[in-house]
Amino acid sequence: MNQNPNAICWFEIYVDDMERAKKFYSAVLGITFDDMAVPGGAGDFKMSAFPADPDPEKMAVGGALVQMEGARGSGGPPATSSIVYFPCMDCSVEESRVEAAGGKVHKPKFSIGEYGFCAICLDTEGNTFGLYSMQ
């Protein structure tokens, strides 16, 4: 069972040009971004975070712009423009249910360093979604 009362815990918007996307969202939303180090050395990509309350007690939903080769349809992972992450106690539990429910596990549970673990899956409609946990 999930201890987080939010339906989602994280989102990513995949972009082709990080600086252009930051400029757009900054102009539209009146916000500034914080460039992030790639969690756990998980790959060669760029991330820049939307503002969010860092207090873990508040369980705020955070998110980032992500620039990753192939993520928007030129090979690699399924083409996507955004991914929502659902909070779990141990994402391998929910991941184990995906294929039986008619979906597909694209990338099994993997470490994102000090930030925990993720799994990337596809639902029955071909939508990409993530599972996230600290264990």
Short mmCIF file of all heavy atoms in Angstrom, two decimals, residues 4 6 8-12 29-36 48-65 115:
data_model
loop_
_atom_site.label_atom_id
_atom_site.label_comp_id
_atom_site.label_asym_id
_atom_site.label_seq_id
_atom_site.Cartn_x
_atom_site.Cartn_y
_atom_site.Cartn_z
N ASN A 4 1.67 7.69 0.29
CA ASN A 4 1.56 9.05 -0.23
C ASN A 4 0.11 9.30 -0.66
O ASN A 4 -0.41 8.57 -1.48
CB ASN A 4 2.51 9.21 -1.43
CG ASN A 4 2.63 10.64 -1.90
OD1 ASN A 4 1.66 11.40 -1.88
ND2 ASN A 4 3.80 11.00 -2.37
N ASN A 6 -1.07 11.59 -2.54
CA ASN A 6 -1.19 12.17 -3.88
C ASN A 6 -1.34 11.05 -4.91
O ASN A 6 -0.73 10.00 -4.80
CB ASN A 6 0.05 12.99 -4.23
CG ASN A 6 0.22 14.17 -3.31
OD1 ASN A 6 -0.74 14.88 -3.02
ND2 ASN A 6 1.44 14.39 -2.83
N ILE A 8 -0.21 11.19 -7.95
CA ILE A 8 1.10 11.08 -8.58
C ILE A 8 2.12 11.72 -7.65
O ILE A 8 1.78 12.50 -6.75
CB ILE A 8 1.16 11.75 -9.97
CG1 ILE A 8 0.90 13.26 -9.89
CG2 ILE A 8 0.20 11.08 -10.94
CD1 ILE A 8 1.17 14.00 -11.18
N CYS A 9 3.39 11.39 -7.86
CA CYS A 9 4.44 11.95 -7.02
C CYS A 9 5.49 12.71 -7.82
O CYS A 9 6.29 13.44 -7.24
CB CYS A 9 5.10 10.86 -6.19
SG CYS A 9 5.86 9.56 -7.18
N TRP A 10 5.51 12.55 -9.14
CA TRP A 10 6.54 13.18 -9.97
C TRP A 10 6.05 13.20 -11.41
O TRP A 10 5.30 12.31 -11.82
CB TRP A 10 7.83 12.37 -9.88
CG TRP A 10 9.00 12.94 -10.64
CD1 TRP A 10 9.46 12.48 -11.84
CD2 TRP A 10 9.84 14.02 -10.29
NE1 TRP A 10 10.55 13.23 -12.25
CE2 TRP A 10 10.80 14.19 -11.29
CE3 TRP A 10 9.88 14.89 -9.19
CZ2 TRP A 10 11.79 15.17 -11.26
CZ3 TRP A 10 10.87 15.87 -9.15
CH2 TRP A 10 11.80 15.99 -10.18
N PHE A 11 6.46 14.19 -12.19
CA PHE A 11 6.17 14.21 -13.61
C PHE A 11 7.40 14.68 -14.36
O PHE A 11 8.25 15.37 -13.81
CB PHE A 11 4.96 15.11 -13.94
CG PHE A 11 5.21 16.58 -13.67
CD1 PHE A 11 5.72 17.39 -14.67
CD2 PHE A 11 4.96 17.12 -12.42
CE1 PHE A 11 5.96 18.74 -14.42
CE2 PHE A 11 5.20 18.46 -12.17
CZ PHE A 11 5.70 19.28 -13.17
N GLU A 12 7.50 14.26 -15.62
CA GLU A 12 8.58 14.71 -16.49
C GLU A 12 7.98 15.12 -17.82
O GLU A 12 7.12 14.42 -18.36
CB GLU A 12 9.60 13.59 -16.70
CG GLU A 12 10.33 13.23 -15.43
CD GLU A 12 11.29 12.06 -15.56
OE1 GLU A 12 11.24 11.33 -16.59
OE2 GLU A 12 12.07 11.85 -14.63
N LEU A 29 4.67 30.57 -17.08
CA LEU A 29 4.30 30.33 -15.68
C LEU A 29 4.93 31.31 -14.70
O LEU A 29 4.56 31.32 -13.52
CB LEU A 29 4.69 28.89 -15.28
CG LEU A 29 4.06 27.78 -16.13
CD1 LEU A 29 4.62 26.42 -15.73
CD2 LEU A 29 2.54 27.80 -16.01
N GLY A 30 5.88 32.12 -15.15
CA GLY A 30 6.54 33.07 -14.26
C GLY A 30 7.38 32.38 -13.21
O GLY A 30 7.42 32.81 -12.06
N ILE A 31 8.08 31.31 -13.57
CA ILE A 31 8.88 30.54 -12.63
C ILE A 31 10.32 30.47 -13.09
O ILE A 31 10.65 30.83 -14.22
CB ILE A 31 8.34 29.09 -12.48
CG1 ILE A 31 8.36 28.37 -13.84
CG2 ILE A 31 6.93 29.09 -11.88
CD1 ILE A 31 8.03 26.89 -13.77
N THR A 32 11.19 30.01 -12.21
CA THR A 32 12.58 29.72 -12.57
C THR A 32 12.84 28.24 -12.32
O THR A 32 12.18 27.61 -11.49
CB THR A 32 13.58 30.57 -11.75
OG1 THR A 32 13.36 30.32 -10.37
CG2 THR A 32 13.40 32.05 -12.03
N PHE A 33 13.77 27.70 -13.04
CA PHE A 33 14.12 26.29 -12.96
C PHE A 33 15.45 26.10 -12.25
O PHE A 33 16.30 26.98 -12.27
CB PHE A 33 14.23 25.69 -14.37
CG PHE A 33 12.91 25.50 -15.04
CD1 PHE A 33 12.33 26.53 -15.76
CD2 PHE A 33 12.24 24.29 -14.95
CE1 PHE A 33 11.10 26.37 -16.38
CE2 PHE A 33 11.02 24.11 -15.56
CZ PHE A 33 10.44 25.15 -16.27
N ASP A 34 15.61 24.94 -11.64
CA ASP A 34 16.89 24.55 -11.05
C ASP A 34 17.42 23.36 -11.83
O ASP A 34 16.79 22.30 -11.85
CB ASP A 34 16.71 24.13 -9.58
CG ASP A 34 16.40 25.31 -8.68
OD1 ASP A 34 17.01 26.37 -8.87
OD2 ASP A 34 15.55 25.17 -7.79
N ASP A 35 18.58 23.55 -12.50
CA ASP A 35 19.19 22.43 -13.20
C ASP A 35 19.58 21.36 -12.19
O ASP A 35 20.03 21.67 -11.09
CB ASP A 35 20.41 22.89 -14.00
CG ASP A 35 20.02 23.78 -15.18
OD1 ASP A 35 18.85 23.73 -15.61
OD2 ASP A 35 20.90 24.52 -15.66
N MET A 36 19.38 20.11 -12.57
CA MET A 36 19.62 18.99 -11.67
C MET A 36 20.76 18.12 -12.19
O MET A 36 20.93 17.98 -13.39
CB MET A 36 18.36 18.10 -11.59
CG MET A 36 17.11 18.80 -11.15
SD MET A 36 15.64 17.76 -11.36
CE MET A 36 16.01 16.39 -10.28
N SER A 48 15.93 19.65 -15.52
CA SER A 48 15.79 20.95 -14.88
C SER A 48 14.44 20.96 -14.17
O SER A 48 13.40 20.75 -14.78
CB SER A 48 15.89 22.06 -15.92
OG SER A 48 16.09 23.30 -15.28
N ALA A 49 14.48 21.18 -12.85
CA ALA A 49 13.29 21.01 -12.01
C ALA A 49 12.38 22.23 -11.96
O ALA A 49 12.85 23.37 -11.89
CB ALA A 49 13.72 20.67 -10.58
N PHE A 50 11.07 21.94 -11.98
CA PHE A 50 10.07 22.94 -11.67
C PHE A 50 10.16 23.23 -10.17
O PHE A 50 10.57 22.36 -9.40
CB PHE A 50 8.66 22.41 -11.97
CG PHE A 50 8.31 22.38 -13.43
CD1 PHE A 50 8.67 21.31 -14.22
CD2 PHE A 50 7.59 23.42 -14.00
CE1 PHE A 50 8.33 21.27 -15.56
CE2 PHE A 50 7.24 23.39 -15.34
CZ PHE A 50 7.61 22.31 -16.13
N PRO A 51 9.76 24.43 -9.73
CA PRO A 51 9.78 24.70 -8.29
C PRO A 51 8.80 23.77 -7.55
O PRO A 51 7.71 23.49 -8.04
CB PRO A 51 9.30 26.15 -8.18
CG PRO A 51 9.28 26.70 -9.56
CD PRO A 51 9.29 25.56 -10.51
N ALA A 52 9.22 23.28 -6.39
CA ALA A 52 8.36 22.44 -5.54
C ALA A 52 8.85 22.56 -4.11
O ALA A 52 10.03 22.81 -3.87
CB ALA A 52 8.40 20.99 -5.99
N ASP A 53 7.97 22.38 -3.18
CA ASP A 53 8.31 22.42 -1.76
C ASP A 53 9.17 21.19 -1.43
O ASP A 53 8.71 20.06 -1.61
CB ASP A 53 7.04 22.43 -0.91
CG ASP A 53 7.32 22.75 0.55
OD1 ASP A 53 8.41 22.40 1.06
OD2 ASP A 53 6.45 23.36 1.17
N PRO A 54 10.41 21.39 -0.95
CA PRO A 54 11.29 20.25 -0.68
C PRO A 54 10.98 19.51 0.62
O PRO A 54 11.56 18.46 0.88
CB PRO A 54 12.67 20.90 -0.61
CG PRO A 54 12.39 22.29 -0.13
CD PRO A 54 11.06 22.67 -0.72
N ASP A 55 10.07 20.02 1.43
CA ASP A 55 9.75 19.39 2.71
C ASP A 55 9.06 18.04 2.48
O ASP A 55 7.93 17.99 1.99
CB ASP A 55 8.85 20.30 3.53
CG ASP A 55 8.52 19.76 4.92
OD1 ASP A 55 8.82 18.57 5.19
OD2 ASP A 55 7.97 20.52 5.72
N PRO A 56 9.73 16.91 2.80
CA PRO A 56 9.13 15.59 2.54
C PRO A 56 7.84 15.35 3.31
O PRO A 56 7.00 14.56 2.89
CB PRO A 56 10.22 14.61 2.95
CG PRO A 56 11.16 15.37 3.81
CD PRO A 56 11.03 16.81 3.43
N GLU A 57 7.64 16.05 4.41
CA GLU A 57 6.41 15.89 5.18
C GLU A 57 5.18 16.40 4.43
O GLU A 57 4.08 15.94 4.65
CB GLU A 57 6.53 16.63 6.53
CG GLU A 57 7.59 16.06 7.45
CD GLU A 57 7.25 14.67 7.93
OE1 GLU A 57 6.07 14.42 8.29
OE2 GLU A 57 8.15 13.81 7.93
N LYS A 58 5.40 17.36 3.53
CA LYS A 58 4.28 17.94 2.78
C LYS A 58 3.91 17.11 1.56
O LYS A 58 2.86 17.31 0.97
CB LYS A 58 4.61 19.37 2.37
CG LYS A 58 4.72 20.29 3.58
CD LYS A 58 4.97 21.70 3.16
CE LYS A 58 5.09 22.59 4.39
NZ LYS A 58 5.43 23.96 4.03
N MET A 59 4.78 16.19 1.15
CA MET A 59 4.55 15.30 0.01
C MET A 59 4.10 16.05 -1.24
O MET A 59 3.17 15.65 -1.93
CB MET A 59 3.55 14.20 0.37
CG MET A 59 4.06 13.25 1.41
SD MET A 59 2.95 11.86 1.56
CE MET A 59 3.45 11.24 3.14
N ALA A 60 4.79 17.15 -1.52
CA ALA A 60 4.47 17.94 -2.71
C ALA A 60 4.80 17.14 -3.97
O ALA A 60 5.69 16.30 -3.97
CB ALA A 60 5.27 19.24 -2.70
N VAL A 61 4.08 17.40 -5.04
CA VAL A 61 4.35 16.77 -6.33
C VAL A 61 5.34 17.65 -7.07
O VAL A 61 5.08 18.83 -7.30
CB VAL A 61 3.06 16.59 -7.15
CG1 VAL A 61 3.37 16.04 -8.53
CG2 VAL A 61 2.08 15.70 -6.41
N GLY A 62 6.47 17.08 -7.45
CA GLY A 62 7.49 17.81 -8.18
C GLY A 62 7.58 17.30 -9.60
O GLY A 62 6.94 16.31 -9.98
N GLY A 63 8.39 17.99 -10.39
CA GLY A 63 8.57 17.56 -11.77
C GLY A 63 9.73 18.26 -12.43
O GLY A 63 10.33 19.17 -11.85
N ALA A 64 10.05 17.81 -13.64
CA ALA A 64 11.20 18.37 -14.34
C ALA A 64 11.01 18.31 -15.84
O ALA A 64 10.25 17.49 -16.36
CB ALA A 64 12.47 17.58 -13.97
N LEU A 65 11.73 19.21 -16.52
CA LEU A 65 11.93 19.10 -17.95
C LEU A 65 13.10 18.12 -18.14
O LEU A 65 14.06 18.16 -17.36
CB LEU A 65 12.31 20.45 -18.55
CG LEU A 65 11.29 21.57 -18.41
CD1 LEU A 65 11.88 22.89 -18.90
CD2 LEU A 65 10.01 21.23 -19.15
N TYR A 115 17.93 9.07 -4.53
CA TYR A 115 16.52 9.42 -4.70
C TYR A 115 15.59 8.21 -4.75
O TYR A 115 14.39 8.37 -4.85
CB TYR A 115 16.34 10.29 -5.95
CG TYR A 115 17.16 11.54 -5.87
CD1 TYR A 115 18.33 11.67 -6.61
CD2 TYR A 115 16.80 12.60 -5.04
CE1 TYR A 115 19.11 12.82 -6.53
CE2 TYR A 115 17.56 13.76 -4.95
CZ TYR A 115 18.72 13.85 -5.69
OH TYR A 115 19.48 14.99 -5.60
#
